[in-house]
């Protein structure tokens, strides 16, 4: 295997990075459960809270990829996201494009959630609506992750769909040039 091929072999590292990044938000999940129950009778605060909890992981990903080319998980896994040319860091637009699918899905889900939340008065249907919101995001994300894995295995640089959208590539940190 050539040195060129080795620098793109990041699948396991990316998987580890995703687990680490997910663990970062575990405390937020506990706070989220408590907050949702506490504000079921205040639709405005509940909607703001759900929007905030939805936006935080996306903002984390976009800002960390823009500023450092890595999330904390990728730092630990020793991989970095760079422009396809491998000579520059990601621009803000590229970082945003990498997460554009999640941004669009969550935006539609939030709009659906808000429109239905204002129509519901009882606590139980509000809880069911919150469950539907969570299940929708999880279902779509599950399908997306599967498509991303397939796309990674189908090309030499192991680029996932979001890398094609953003014009980016993930490489092992030791192959990043010093000027980046």
């Amino acid at each position: 295997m050539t040195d060129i091929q080795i620098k793109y072999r990041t699948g396991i590292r990316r998987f580890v990075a995703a687990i680490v990044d997910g663990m970062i938000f575990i405390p937020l999940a506990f706070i989220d459960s408590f907050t949702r129950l506490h504000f079921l009778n205040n639709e405005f605060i509940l909607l703001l809270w759900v929007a905030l909890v939805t936006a935080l992981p996306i903002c984390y990903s976009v800002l960390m990829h823009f500023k450092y080319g890595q999330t904390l998980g990728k730092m630990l896994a020793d991989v970095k996201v760079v422009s396809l040319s491998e000579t520059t860091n990601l621009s803000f637009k590229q970082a945003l494009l990498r997460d554009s699918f999640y941004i669009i899905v969550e935006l539609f889900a939030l709009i659906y959630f808000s429109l239905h939340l204002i129509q519901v008065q009882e606590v139980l249907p509000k809880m069911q609506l919150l469950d539907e919101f969570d299940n929708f995001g999880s279902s779509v994300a599950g399908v997306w992750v599967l498509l991303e894995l397939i796309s990674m295995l189908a090309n030499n640089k192991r680029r996932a769909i979001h890398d094609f959208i953003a014009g980016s590539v993930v490489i092992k940190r030791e192959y990043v040039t010093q000027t980046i």
Side-chain angles (χ1 to χ4, degrees):
M1 187 173 303
T2 68
D3 218 27
I4 301 279
Q5 292 170 315
I6 292 171
K7 82 172 163 180
Y8 301 116
R9 293 183 58 97
T10 59
I12 292 173
R13 293 178 186 216
R14 289 164 86 167
F15 179 72
V16 168
I19 290 171
V20 170
D21 288 331
M23 290 173 58
I24 290 170
F25 291 98
I26 288 174
L28 183 62
F30 289 113
I31 297 167
D32 183 39
S33 296
F34 171 78
T35 304
R36 285 179 178 199
L37 286 174
H38 190 73
F39 289 108
L40 276 173
N41 291 320
N42 188 328
E43 290 84 9
F44 180 73
I45 292 176
L46 184 60
L47 181 59
L48 284 178
W49 175 256
V50 169
L52 175 70
V53 169
T54 301
L56 278 175
I58 294 170
C59 290
Y60 162 78
S61 178
V62 170
L63 294 175
M64 291 294 288
H65 283 115
F66 167 62
K67 178 95 172 137
Y68 305 105
Q70 304 167 289
T71 59
L72 294 175
K74 284 185 179 76
M75 288 177 189
L76 183 70
D78 215 21
V79 293
K80 185 171 182 181
V81 184
V82 295
S83 290
L84 187 55
S85 67
E86 298 179 27
T87 59
T88 60
N89 287 319
L90 295 183
S91 67
F92 182 73
K93 179 180 176 182
Q94 285 176 299
L96 204 58
L97 284 171
R98 279 188 107 244
D99 284 304
S100 60
F101 178 81
Y102 289 114
I103 292 168
I104 291 167
V105 167
E106 295 297 354
L107 188 60
F108 279 116
L110 278 170
I111 291 168
Y112 174 87
F113 175 71
S114 340
L115 293 174
H116 285 80
L117 182 66
I118 57 176
Q119 297 174 356
V120 174
Q121 298 304 316
E122 298 84 31
V123 170
L124 189 58
K126 286 180 187 177
M127 291 174 65
Q128 290 170 337
L129 188 59
L130 284 164
D131 287 342
E132 287 175 22
F133 174 78
D134 293 337
N135 291 338
F136 174 76
S138 298
S139 299
V140 172
V143 172
W144 182 251
V145 166
L146 182 61
L147 292 172
E148 294 264 87
L149 288 171
I150 292 168
S151 68
M152 280 177 54
L153 296 172
N155 64 85
N156 291 335
K157 290 189 175 183
R158 301 295 184 234
R159 295 173 68 209
I161 298 169
H162 63 262
D163 290 311
F164 284 103
I165 292 170
S168 63
V169 64
V170 180
I171 59 177
K172 292 180 179 178
R173 185 78 175 100
E174 64 259 29
Y175 291 95
V176 174
T177 60
Q178 297 304 322
T179 57
I180 298 182

